[in-house]
Amino acid sequence: MQTTKTVDLGDPDLYTTLDRHARWREYAAEDAMVWSEPGSSPGGFWSVFSHRACAAVLGPSAPFTSEYGMMIGFDRDHPDTSGGQMMVVSEQDQHRKLRKLVGPLLSRAAARKLSDRVRTEVRGVLDRVLDGEVCDVAAEIGPRIPAAVVCEILGVPAEDQDMLIDLTNHAFGGEDELFDGMTPRQAHTEILVYFDELISARRANPGDDLVSTLLSDGELSIDDVVLNCDNVLIGGNETTRHAITGAVHAFATVPGLLAQVRDGDVDVDPVVDEVLRWTSPAMHVLRVTTGDVTVNGRDLEAGTPVVAWLPAANRDPAVFDDPDTFRPGRKPNRHITFGHGMHHCLGSALARIELAVVLREVAERVSRVELENEPAWLRAVVVQGYRELPVRFTGR
Ligand code: HEM
């Protein structure tokens, strides 16, 4: 059945409580198609929720493009200015070229090489929080690890990493508090200025990092290089931090999970995938139709924005039994947390390794994770994430 409802799904206030899951479940079960009037987005947009409909919109041969932008707010008349330049909002030749250049730096082999760095970060964080006061995982654990990994990929020199990690955490923390007198937007601008400096340094002295790799192409403009460093920075940070926080949330709330992981009663890889499905940090992706197309029985003209809600698809009862329950060994687990089709997340191997290391290290060092309070959720539409997750860790 395809239903049409009208509600502004781009309103971030809709996502600060767990009611969001009930709404998504209803829409996914009905295979609903919802129209959002102009409001959060200047021209309005359609939304789909079921696993089938989201996969169809994002699929490799679907008549849709990302080039006008991939988030609510953009459309053909109000395009993202990075369109055609930044990987996630480019198509065809530019997209292929960028994936080919950047892919090896984020591959499984590259991710494996970074796992020692991840382990060192996780151990450092655990040393600070074990047997101590209440720890806000969303602030103290989630952010540090992905920011450190992205610094390694970008080739940020050791002496600048703490500064860039702080800026990154401020830019993508989801809160508007001032930090060193800066708003999140200003912190992001500082990062882009830093990229300019890094580009000059790598031009004079190339290495095997992302900046040098993008420069080595010879055809990308400096703007292209900055934008694609930013794509990896944003892609690697905004999402992974919430998946890592969610892994600790699962340890605190899923009976027996900590012991199962520690004793090897469950493989870590399926637990990682269940964390990814359950947390589903990328909340939506937007596409614009490139021709006339029928979606869920509705005819759409070229130039129509359509949003796929990934957390809704990841709890679609038609695909996942008992979808709200965290099942450590869930199989199959065909979640689309990393998207689907041509733009499937290029950092997925890295995100999986980060999560696997966190799960193993926490299980090794911690005997108990207790929730001090229910989590507080971000007021956001792009990312489904934790504003606060206060827990107490007891060491082994
Ligand atoms: C693309 C989610 C981690 C880099 C995407 C997309 C999603 C996603 C849904 C597709 C966007 C679209 O179709 O428009 C996630 C989640 C992560 C994660 C949930 C963690 C749990 C990472 C990491 C990196 C990264 C660690 C790099 C360090 C990228 C890049 C793209 C991308 C470069 C663009 C790919 C393309 O356009 O071909 N990610 N991501 N992501 N992600 Fe991730």
Side-chain angles (χ1 to χ4, degrees):
M1 180 177 64
Q2 289 103 35
T3 47
T4 307
K5 305 167 191 242
T6 303
V7 53
D8 187 357
L9 292 175
D11 175 359
D13 286 331
L14 293 177
Y15 305 102
T16 54
T17 70
L18 290 175
D19 291 349
R20 63 184 182 271
H21 287 296
R23 190 177 316 109
W24 284 329
R25 188 173 333 102
E26 182 196 322
Y27 289 157
E30 290 176 357
D31 204 355
M33 190 139 170
V34 172
W35 171 249
S36 292
E37 293 287 349
S40 60
S41 143
F45 58 93
W46 284 100
S47 288
V48 294
F49 307 88
S50 69
H51 193 277
R52 182 203 59 74
C54 289
V57 166
L58 302 177
S61 54
F64 289 93
T65 179
S66 299
E67 258 184 342
Y68 298 115
M70 46 76 71
M71 292 182 294
I72 293 171
F74 294 120
D75 59 28
R76 197 169 57 176
D77 299 328
H78 310 87
D80 184 338
T81 52
S82 317
Q85 286 183 279
M86 188 194 253
M87 185 188 318
V88 76
V89 285
S90 64
E91 302 286 8
Q92 311 293 339
D93 290 353
Q94 172 85 346
H95 181 245
R96 266 192 294 275
K97 179 218 278 258
L98 288 167
R99 267 191 92 99
K100 205 164 154 207
L101 273 173
V102 179
L105 284 132
L106 307 181
S107 66
R108 201 167 299 168
R112 254 188 246 116
K113 280 196 204 144
L114 280 167
S115 59
D116 281 345
R117 174 71 206 265
V118 178
R119 205 165 291 116
T120 309
E121 283 300 326
V122 180
R123 287 182 181 165
V125 166
L126 287 177
D127 286 342
R128 289 199 292 279
V129 302
L130 279 189
D131 296 318
E133 296 298 302
V134 174
C135 161
D136 177 9
V137 182
E140 290 174 51
I141 302 187
R144 173 89 206 178
I145 298 152
V149 165
V150 170
C151 278
E152 290 292 327
I153 294 165
L154 286 165
V156 174
E159 63 273 18
D160 294 345
Q161 290 204 357
D162 279 340
M163 177 269 299
L164 201 74
I165 290 170
D166 279 348
L167 280 173
T168 308
N169 287 338
H170 187 51
F172 305 122
E175 290 296 291
D176 259 334
E177 283 153 28
L178 289 178
F179 158 89
D180 273 1
M182 263 184 255
T183 62
R185 187 183 284 267
Q186 286 165 333
H188 194 188
T189 307
E190 286 286 310
I191 294 172
L192 298 181
V193 170
Y194 179 79
F195 284 162
D196 261 336
E197 289 168 22
L198 200 57
I199 288 169
S200 304
R202 287 292 163 268
R203 261 213 180 123
N205 193 6
D208 54 4
D209 49 83
L210 179 66
V211 175
S212 307
T213 306
L214 291 168
L215 285 172
S216 72
D217 173 69
E219 283 178 5
L220 293 172
S221 67
I222 293 303
D223 210 27
D224 285 348
V225 176
V226 170
L227 283 171
N228 283 291
C229 288
D230 203 32
N231 192 163
V232 171
L233 181 87
I234 297 171
N237 272 293
E238 270 202 301
T239 46
T240 318
R241 59 176 55 209
H242 297 294
I244 290 174
T245 304
V248 177
H249 188 199
F251 273 146
T253 53
V254 179
L257 181 62
L258 199 61
Q260 281 177 307
V261 173
R262 182 191 315 125
D263 301 341
D265 294 341
V266 61
D267 286 342
V268 169
D269 291 349
V271 179
V272 165
D273 273 293
E274 186 63 346
V275 168
L276 287 163
R277 184 193 72 85
W278 193 63
T279 56
S280 217
M283 204 192 272
H284 77 262
V285 286
L286 174 137
R287 296 289 186 265
V288 174
T289 54
T290 51
D292 295 346
V293 54
T294 306
V295 178
N296 276 24
R298 178 170 294 273
D299 296 332
L300 303 179
E301 291 176 353
T304 308
V306 181
V307 167
W309 293 87
L310 306 179
N314 283 340
R315 296 192 185 200
D316 181 342
V319 178
F320 301 98
D321 287 342
D322 199 6
D324 289 337
T325 303
F326 186 105
R327 285 193 186 166
R330 187 181 284 278
K331 222 173 172 181
N333 191 345
R334 295 190 298 116
H335 66 76
I336 52 170
T337 300
F338 292 121
H340 177 65
M342 304 304 276
H343 291 274
H344 182 271
C345 177
L346 203 54
S348 59
L350 205 50
R352 284 197 162 98
I353 292 236
E354 290 181 45
L355 282 167
V357 172
V358 168
L359 287 165
R360 285 205 181 95
E361 289 295 319
V362 172
E364 190 58 40
R365 304 264 312 267
V366 173
S367 66
R368 207 164 160 202
V369 186
E370 282 167 278
L371 261 195
E372 269 292 303
N373 248 317
E374 286 305 312
W377 303 99
L378 282 186
R379 184 180 171 278
V381 180
V382 178
V383 178
Q384 169 174 234
Y386 296 85
R387 189 159 58 78
E388 258 176 43
L389 181 73
V391 307
R392 233 177 246 280
F393 291 103
T394 310
R396 290 182 70 208

